[in-house]
Every structure is written in C-alpha cells, then in structure tokens.
Amino acid sequence: MSAPTVLSIAGSDPSGGAGIQADLKTFSALGAYGCAAMTALTAQSTQGVTGIHPVPPEFVREQVLTLVDDVALDAVKIGMLGAVGVAEVVAELVREVLDCPVVLDPVMVSTAGSRLLAEDAVEAVCHLAPLVDLVTPNGPEAAVMLGGQEARNAQEQREQAQELHRRLGTRVLLKGGHLPGPRAVDVLVDHDGTATLTASRVETTNTHGTGCTLSSAIAALLPRCDGWRPAVQEAKDYLTRGLEHSDQLEVGHGAGPVHHFHAWW
C-alpha cells in the first residue's frame, strides 16, 4: 500500500523531543506521511515547560476541518489538549468528522514534571476517551482518570487497566514505565481480554517524549498491521530501540529525547 497518512492533534515542543515535533518524526521514521493540527504553543526544553499559549478552540476546529476536506486520513493521534475548550472541540471532531482509528495519549504532566493540562480540562479529556479507539495513559494519568492512587506494582497496574477499560468501553494501554523492575511492562486491555507487553528496561535519562512517541508509533503502524495488538507491540519495540540509541544524541541538559531516527542515521 502507499504510505498511510496520519494526523497529530497536539501541542508544540520547541526542543523537538515531544509533542507534534516528536509525532512527525515518528510518523516519518515508520513510513507514514504526517499531518499536524496545533492545539497549543509551549515554551519548553528538556528541563521543563515555562509557558503555554493555547490555540483558540475554534481555530483548532478550523485546522482539522480544512485538512479533512482535502486529505484522506488513515489514523489520528491526539496528544496535548491543554484547555477544556480544546478538549471539547476535539471530542466533537472525533464524534462527527474523523472517520478513522484514533489514538489518545491523555497528556497531563510532562516527563520533567510540568503540568500540561488545566485542572478543569481533566473531566473533558475523560469524556473524550470513550470516543476513541485506544487510550494510552501512564501510571499517574491512569490514577487521575480513575480518581485514585497510582499503581504500585504489576498487579495493581493490571487491575487499573481493566477498570479503565470497563469504565471507558474502549481499548486501554496502561504504560508501566513508572514502575520499578528490570522489565518495562505495559498492559493492553480490549474486548479480547488482557495482554501483557514486556521489554528490557533501558537505563537512560533520555525519556523526554516517550509517551508521545509510543502513541504516534501505534497510529503510524496500525494501517499496515493486522490489528491493534501487533501495532502496539511493534510500536513498543520501536520505542525501546529509540531509547537504546538515545545516548547517540546530545540534546539539552535535562531529560533528553529518544532517537526517533535510530534506524536511519
């Protein structure tokens, strides 16, 4: 098939390691043509976020409507939404306009600890989640969505993933990068049951944009994979290799980016 066309609806990261910049790099590295609709500008580096400038919700809508009027999309990845109005507009677009698989990374806090979602927007993102085809929270995000404590071990992680799936009625990939242990364990729950995906934990501080990269890799790979589970596994493998080669890059003084183009450079 020709290269799939994938849209990222997300915020900008000037350092290039996360957000729309990471999404477009991931799409390209995995053979997909990337499009992008901006939800927010950030003043950001590998050391944190110093400012957020939201895009007006109606202009987010206009970006997407103008694009889909011309371009056929094979998949969509949604990342940082930032504000409640943007989350509500994106929910309307998913429900009424975007007729393709949608992956939601419910971005709430950056790797460096900076808050990327307004307090009053959490509920709006939770209302968006049941409309998409896959939600990819990390441990802290799952805790917020469930209104409880972050999972402390693999059993609690599995239970929280299953509870999120039950509440949302859609596929859930609960990432386990925040849990200790020699293996990085993610839990995927869908209507076929619960699957555990494991990889060797990579000892590196270069973890900026890992969530953005994984969710965009799933969206890029899905059109060419035989179902969601193979796409998720292949995306996890891609991220692991990007982490393994991240020390080849020397970007910033904080949490550096993964190496999106490790197979090409």
Side-chain angles (χ1 to χ4, degrees):
M1 64 178 294
S2 60
T5 301
V6 187
L7 168 65
S8 169
I9 304 174
S12 171
D13 172 14
S15 77
I20 273 181
Q21 287 84 341
D23 295 345
L24 292 176
K25 290 175 183 178
T26 302
F27 296 161
S28 296
L30 295 174
Y33 180 84
C35 302
M38 197 81 68
T39 60
L41 302 176
T42 68
Q44 183 175 175
S45 70
T46 63
Q47 296 180 305
V49 179
T50 61
I52 298 176
H53 182 68
V55 173
E58 286 306 312
F59 195 69
V60 174
R61 186 200 308 273
E62 184 176 352
Q63 290 178 76
V64 176
L65 291 179
T66 300
L67 177 67
V68 300
D69 188 52
D70 176 54
V71 177
L73 300 174
D74 294 294
V76 174
K77 173 264 172 76
I78 300 172
M80 175 190 174
L81 298 175
V84 61
V86 173
E88 291 173 345
V89 160
V90 170
E92 293 174 6
L93 290 168
V94 172
R95 187 167 47 240
E96 301 170 6
V97 178
L98 297 172
D99 187 21
C100 62
V102 178
V103 178
L104 170 64
D105 180 14
V107 177
M108 297 179 182
V109 180
S110 72
T111 300
S114 302
R115 188 166 188 88
L116 296 172
L117 183 67
E119 290 282 358
D120 63 354
V122 172
E123 184 177 356
V125 170
C126 290
H127 287 161
L128 165 63
L131 305 176
V132 307
D133 298 282
L134 174 68
V135 185
T136 65
N138 58 27
E141 290 160 349
V144 171
M145 296 177 77
L146 289 170
Q149 299 297 313
E150 182 179 350
R152 296 164 296 180
N153 53 55
Q155 180 60 33
E156 291 184 359
Q157 178 195 22
R158 186 180 184 89
E159 291 171 355
Q160 288 192 359
Q162 292 170 338
E163 178 62 15
L164 272 175
H165 171 67
R166 187 189 69 79
R167 292 191 190 185
L168 301 176
T170 192
R171 298 172 188 85
V172 172
L173 177 67
L174 180 47
K175 299 171 290 188
H178 289 75
L179 292 175
R183 307 286 291 176
V185 180
D186 300 337
V187 177
L188 175 64
V189 186
D190 57 21
H191 295 302
D192 294 325
T194 303
T196 301
L197 295 78
T198 66
S200 297
R201 186 177 298 277
V202 180
E203 295 300 328
T204 179
T205 59
N206 298 324
T207 56
H208 184 54
T210 49
C212 303
T213 298
L214 180 63
S215 53
S216 57
I218 295 169
L221 290 165
L222 181 64
R224 288 175 167 168
C225 283
D226 184 22
W228 284 92
R229 292 195 178 194
V232 171
Q233 182 62 68
E234 191 170 337
K236 184 174 176 64
D237 294 342
Y238 165 75
L239 175 59
T240 299
R241 293 192 297 271
L243 287 164
E244 290 171 344
H245 290 84
S246 63
D247 289 343
Q248 295 175 5
L249 303 175
E250 296 181 5
V251 179
H253 296 87
V258 304
H259 196 334
H260 297 95
F261 292 110
H262 59 269
W264 297 92
W265 291 10

